[in-house]
């Protein structure tokens, strides 16, 4: 049986995606080769500073958003967030991160780094953790290269994927899929060729139930319900 394909859309600066990583890890542990996760990015924080300034102007500004993030995070004990998140450090855009991460992903696609090492997933998580936990400006290319170097990734090869335009092409594919599936929330999971979706802070058991339903009732089989 072919694995259930899950399209996973997120923004690297989104706190809900930071929280949700543990759920993806649990899915991969419990379902292994029964699922395949296709990672895509949605630029919720593509213009991060201006977006937060406008949306939180009447709710305390950046400090108000800082309070909101901490209020959200205190409900979960598996992640850490810096006290000064979104006040002392405000990355300008998640798009530069997404572009860089697609360059890392291309290294796996081209077998420049073994896909078995899951470097794209490791890099994506490290970007999130470095921002939320350590307050690093992950929109800065120097910081991005520093993260890649710490992970043992070939810097010149990453730069080549960006310089050639191929990383931009991968990012453009994401834009097309975001438009096709009208994705506006991070994270968003799409199953069953777009017929099922889960948006935002969805618990693990709900995600698991959707996958088990697809495994027990394949899309090409008729069902009365």
């Amino acid at each position: 049986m072919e694995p259930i394909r899950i399209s996973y859309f997120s923004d690297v600066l989104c706190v809900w995606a930071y929280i949700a990583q543990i759920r993806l890890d649990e899915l991969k542990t419990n379902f292994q080769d029964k699922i395949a996760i296709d990672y895509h990015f949605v630029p919720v924080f593509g213009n991060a500073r201006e977006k937060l300034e406008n949306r939180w102007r009447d709710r305390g500004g950046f400090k108000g958003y800082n309070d909101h993030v901490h209020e959200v995070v205190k409900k979960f004990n598996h992640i850490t967030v810096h006290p000064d998140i979104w006040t002392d450090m405000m990355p300008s855009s998640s798009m530069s991160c997404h572009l860089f991460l697609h360059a890392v992903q291309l290294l796996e696609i081209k077998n420049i780094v073994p896909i078995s090492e899951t470097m794209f997933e490791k890099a994506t998580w490290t970007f999130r953790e470095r921002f939320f936990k350590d307050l690093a400006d992950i929109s800065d290319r120097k910081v991005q290269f520093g993260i890649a170097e710490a992970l043992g990734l070939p810097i010149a090869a990453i730069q080549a994927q960006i310089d050639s335009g191929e990383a931009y092409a991968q990012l453009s594919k994401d834009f097309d899929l975001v438009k096709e599936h009208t994705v506006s929330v991070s994270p968003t999971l799409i199953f069953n060729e777009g017929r099922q979706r889960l948006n935002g802070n969805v618990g693990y058991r709900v995600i698991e139930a959707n996958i088990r339903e697809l495994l027990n009732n394949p899309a090409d089989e008729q069902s009365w319900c």
Side-chain angles (χ1 to χ4, degrees), residues 8 26 29 51 81-82 91 132 156 162 177 190 195 212 215:
Y8 184 75
E26 188 74 5
T29 297
K51 174 178 180 174
V81 167
H82 194 282
F132 283 104
I162 296 172
L177 288 170
I190 296 180
R195 289 185 285 271
R212 293 198 182 281
L215 288 171

Side-chain angles (χ1 to χ4, degrees), residues 184-201:
S184 60
V185 175
S186 171
T188 292
L189 296 91
I190 296 180
F191 313 80
N192 200 8
E193 298 179 343
R195 289 185 285 271
Q196 293 171 244
R197 74 163 58 202
L198 297 171
N199 294 333
N201 182 37

